Amino acid sequence: MKYYEEQGQTDTKHEFLGRPVVRSKRINDLRDLLIDATPQICSDRAKLLTQAYQTYQSEPTVLKRAKAFRHILENMRISILPGELIVGSLGVKLRCAPIFPEFGMDWVIEELDGNPVRPEQRPGDRYLIDEEDEKVLREIHSFWHGNDHESRCKAMLPKETEIGKKIGVTDSYWLMIGGDGHLTVDLKSVADKGLKDVIARAQKRLAQLDLSEPDAIEQKPFLESVVITCEAVIAFAHRYAQLAVEMAKTEKDAQRKKELMKIAEVCQNVPENPARDFHEAAQSLWFINLTMQIENNGHSISFGRYDQTMIDIYKKDVEAGNIEYDDALEIIECVFLKMFQLQKITCWDNTKAFSGYQLFQNFTVGGQDINGKDSANEVSFLVLNAQAAIALNTPSISLRYHNRINERLLYASFDVVRIGGGQPAMYSDEVYIPALVNRGIPWEDAVNYSIVGCVEAIVEGKQTGRPNGAGFINLGKILELSLYNGKDPNTDICMCEGTGTLSDFKNYEELYEAFKTQARYYFKQQIMTDNIIDQCTELGIADPYVSSLVHDCIERGKVMKAGGAIYDYCGPLYVGVANVGNSLAAIKKVVFDDKKITAEQLMHALETNYEDMTTKPTGAEIQKMMLDAPKYGNDDDYVDDIMVDYFRFICEETAKYHTTRYGRGPIGGTWQPSTSSVSSNVPFGSFVGATPDGRKAGDALADTSSPMHGTDTNGITSSLKSVGKLPTVLVSGGQLLNVKVMPASLEPGPNLKKLVDVVRTYFSDYKGMHVQINCVSADTLKAAQDNPSEYKDLMVRVAGYSALFTPLDKALQDDIIERTEHAV
C-alpha cells in the first residue's frame, strides 16, 4: 500500500480480497475528468477519409481503404492527457465520437436537422457537436449521398426487408450503417513479435505470388494493403512518441517529465517491435485496439484472454524487479480509462437497441488450458482489481467458470460484483466449450475461447468478426403474426399468409405449427438480408488491417469477409424469448386444456388490450387468467417443456443456413443462434400488441433468455433451474441471463456463500451457460432517476453489457427497475 500512500490514495467503502479498494491520485483525477465529460462528435476522421476517397477513387477497394486509413493516422489530431501512462484516442475531445461516412451519412444529416432528434437533444446517449464539426459534416455529405455502404445495401435488398423492419419483426439496419467488429485478433503475437512480423509475412507472400494465376491477382492488393496499414499504425505510434518528447521539453514537474520520456520510449518501440516490459505490452495492445476502432466503426473489438496474453511478460518484469503489483494495476487502470474514452455514435433508432454509450469490449479472465488445468494467474486478479477500482461500464469483464475454478478467483469476482454494475459476467466452460465443438471447432481451439460483444464466444486470432450480432429477430412479433393468420394487426400488412387465426385453431398443435410457419419465413428473410449486407461489406468495405491480424488471411491472401479466417460463424439476435414460451403455455392451459375461455374471447381481449370491461369475463379478468398461467422461470415443467421444445426448434432452424463465406475456406460458415437481445427488448416491444402471456400492448418484451419481468416468483433457484433446462449446447452464439439480487445477498459471510453455491449448482448441475448479477436495489435506481447528478457513476447491467444508469433513456431505465429482485 506504500505506493498509494505516496500518490495520495482515494479510499472507497469496498474491499477486494480483504484489501481496501483504492485509486491513486493519478487515476482518480483522470476518472473524474472523463466521467464529467459529455461525449462529443468529431469530424476529423470523416473529413480525412473523404479526402482520401476522392484522391484514390480508382484504386481497388482494399487498397483505397488502406491508403485512406494511412491518411487518417498521419493527419488526425492527437493529444496526451495530464497524468496518463497509456496514450492514444479517437480524437482530441475527451470522449470523442468520430463519424464513419463510408457506411452512412444521410442519417447523420437527418439527425442534425432534428429528424427524429438532434444528437444533443436525445433522451439518452446524448452527443454534443460544435459548429465547425457540423459544418464539415454537412459539406462532405454530397460526396457520400448515394455512395456509401447503406446505399449499396439498399440497392441490393428486396422490398420485403423494408416491410419486415416497418412492422417490427426483423431489423438489420445497424449493419448497413455500422461495421462488423465482434472479434479478438491475435494480440499475443503482436505483443511477442510486433507488427514488423505481420509486415514480413505479407511481404513474403507477395514475393511468392505468380501473377499469371487469377487468384494471385486478387491477393496482391490485399497483401499490399497489409503492409500499408501496419506501417501506418507504426508511424501513428511514433507520432505519440514525438508528442511526448515535445511535451517533456516544457514540463516543469520532474516526475511527469520522466513519465513522458518513458511514454516516448514505449511508443517508439511498440507496436512495431516485441514488447520489452509490461508497460510496453499494455500500450502495444491498446494501440492495436484503438487503430482497429479507427479503421472500422464496428463494436465489440475485444482484448481476449488478457490474463493469458500478459502473464509471461508480467512474471518476467516482477522477477527482474522492474514492476510491482500496484504498478501493473495502475497501468491496467489506465487502459480501462482509455477504453471509457472510446465513443461511437449511431442513429437514434439503433441507439435504442444498444443504449448506454457501450462498445462491448471484453476482457476475459480465468478458464482452463488445453489439459483442463485452471488458468487463473496474477493478471486475472489485476484485471478484477482494476475493475473494482475504476467501476465504470467499460470494459466488460468476463469470467470463465469451470468445475475446477480457482476458489480465490471466484470469490474475487463476487467482490467486484458487490461493488455494482454486473461485472464480471460469468460464463461456463462446461457448456461453451462443448457448444463450440458441436459447431466443428477442435478442442484445442474451443478451450481457448474468449468473449466478445455481449456473450459471443470466439477463437481469438482465428475467427471472422461477428460470430453473432447480425440482425434482430422479434420472436414476440412472430408469435403475434401467427395469431392473426400472418397479418400485422397494426398495419394490415401480410408477408406470409398463415393457416388461420387463433380462433380457427382446434388444438395446441395447430397453434404451434402456425408459429413455426411464421418463424421459418422470417428467419429466412433475416438471413437473406444479412447475407446480402455481408456481400456488400466484402465488396465495398474489405477491411485489410484487421484481417492482417487474423489467421489465415495473409496465408490465403484474402480478407476475412472473403473467407480468409480459419473459422467463420454468424447469427441473429433473438428478442422476446420468454414471451413466446409463456404465451404458448398460457393458450394451451387456459384455452385448450382447462377451457376457461374460448379462443374467440382471448382474441377479443388481445385486440382490445385487455381493456374491454363489457365482456364476460372482462378483459382485465382474462388478463389475470393469462398472467396466472404457468410462467417460465419457476421450475414448472408445464411451461418449461414448451420453452425447451420451441427453443430447440429455433436453434435448429437457424443452423440450417450458411454465411457468404461457406465453402470458401473457413471451417463452419454456418448460422448460429444467440439470445443476446442487447436493449432491443424495449423498442421492439413497441411494435407488439397485447400478448397471451398477459403483457399489454407496447410494453417491453422479455430481455435475453431471462424470465419475463415479475413472472419468476418462486425465487432465484427456480428461476435458474428453468433457464438451465434450455438446450444451451445448441446456442453456440451465446446464451444470456440477467439476474437481479438484493444487495444483502452479496454481503460477505453466509449470504454470499449461499449465492456462490447457487451459481455453482446452476453451472455444474443444470448446465447453465451464462449469468450476470445486478445488485442495485430498485429504490436506489428510482432515486437516481430523480436526482441524476448525485448518481453520475451508478452502473447497472443492461443485457450482455453494463452501462452508467443516468444517461439511459427512461424507458430502458424503467425496464431495468422492473426486473425481478431476488433474495438468496
Side-chain angles (χ1 to χ4, degrees), residues 161 169-183 299-300 350 353-354 360 452-456 464-474 522-535 537 561 568-575 654 657-661 670-680 684 733-734:
T161 299
V169 64
T170 60
D171 189 358
S172 293
Y173 183 66
W174 74 274
L175 291 172
M176 289 189 248
I177 62 171
D180 275 1
H182 291 84
L183 87 166
H299 56 68
S300 306
N350 286 350
F354 298 94
F360 311 95
V452 301
C454 290
V455 291
E456 301 97 302
T464 305
R466 212 156 50 82
N468 266 84
F472 295 101
I473 297 181
N474 188 346
Y522 285 104
F523 285 13
K524 188 172 183 177
Q525 288 294 317
Q526 184 64 54
I527 288 163
M528 174 189 69
T529 298
D530 286 351
N531 277 343
I532 289 172
I533 294 173
D534 274 3
Q535 184 69 25
T537 303
K561 270 289 191 256
D568 184 282
Y569 302 91
C570 194
L573 305 174
Y574 291 112
V575 186
T654 305
Y657 294 96
H658 296 133
T659 71
T660 61
R661 281 79 65 196
T670 58
W671 282 69
Q672 58 182 359
S674 172
T675 61
S676 173
S677 57
V678 208
S679 59
S680 64
F684 270 120

Side-chain angles (χ1 to χ4, degrees), residues 155-362:
M156 288 186 66
L157 288 169
K159 66 177 182 179
E160 288 86 353
T161 299
E162 183 178 347
I163 297 172
K165 185 176 187 297
K166 179 179 179 180
I167 66 176
V169 64
T170 60
D171 189 358
S172 293
Y173 183 66
W174 74 274
L175 291 172
M176 289 189 248
I177 62 171
D180 275 1
H182 291 84
L183 87 166
T184 298
V185 299
D186 188 2
L187 292 171
K188 184 162 178 55
S189 288
V190 175
D192 292 346
K193 302 176 184 178
L195 286 181
K196 68 178 183 181
D197 178 72
V198 179
I199 294 170
R201 287 193 290 114
Q203 290 173 331
K204 180 179 179 181
R205 286 287 296 119
L206 273 168
Q208 294 170 341
L209 291 181
D210 179 354
L211 294 182
S212 65
E213 297 291 333
D215 284 351
I217 297 172
E218 295 178 4
Q219 292 178 33
K220 184 174 180 289
F222 165 63
L223 295 169
E224 290 173 339
S225 72
V226 169
V227 176
I228 291 169
T229 54
C230 289
E231 287 181 342
V233 171
I234 292 168
F236 182 62
H238 291 172
R239 288 185 65 199
Y240 276 96
Q242 183 179 357
L243 176 60
V245 169
E246 293 301 315
M247 292 175 66
K249 290 178 181 177
T250 58
E251 178 60 55
K252 294 181 172 57
D253 183 86
Q255 177 61 29
R256 184 55 182 164
K257 182 187 288 283
K258 182 180 178 182
E259 290 171 353
L260 287 167
M261 292 309 297
K262 171 63 175 177
I263 289 170
E265 179 186 345
V266 168
C267 295
Q268 193 64 38
N269 187 56
V270 295
E272 177 179 8
N273 300 300
R276 297 170 297 193
D277 59 28
F278 189 82
H279 187 164
E280 287 195 349
Q283 179 67 69
S284 182
L285 270 52
W286 171 244
F287 268 140
I288 297 301
N289 183 282
L290 173 66
T291 48
M292 287 193 293
Q293 305 279 4
I294 293 170
E295 182 188 35
N296 185 296
N297 69 339
H299 56 68
S300 306
I301 299 170
S302 297
F303 283 81
R305 301 185 74 185
Y306 197 78
D307 53 354
Q308 308 308 305
T309 298
M310 297 288 281
I311 186 58
D312 289 341
I313 200 159
Y314 174 76
K315 285 181 176 178
K316 177 184 172 184
D317 259 12
V318 169
E319 290 168 2
N322 296 329
I323 198 170
E324 294 182 359
Y325 181 94
D326 288 336
D327 301 317
L329 177 61
E330 192 174 47
I331 288 172
I332 294 178
E333 289 169 345
C334 283
V335 173
F336 280 22
L337 289 172
K338 296 308 296 182
M339 297 176 74
F340 182 71
Q341 274 192 270
L342 291 178
Q343 298 293 324
K344 289 184 177 179
I345 184 173
T346 187
C347 70
W348 173 238
D349 277 349
N350 286 350
T351 299
K352 287 186 287 185
F354 298 94
S355 294
Y357 293 125
Q358 181 57 256
L359 289 182
F360 311 95
Q361 298 181 93
N362 261 281

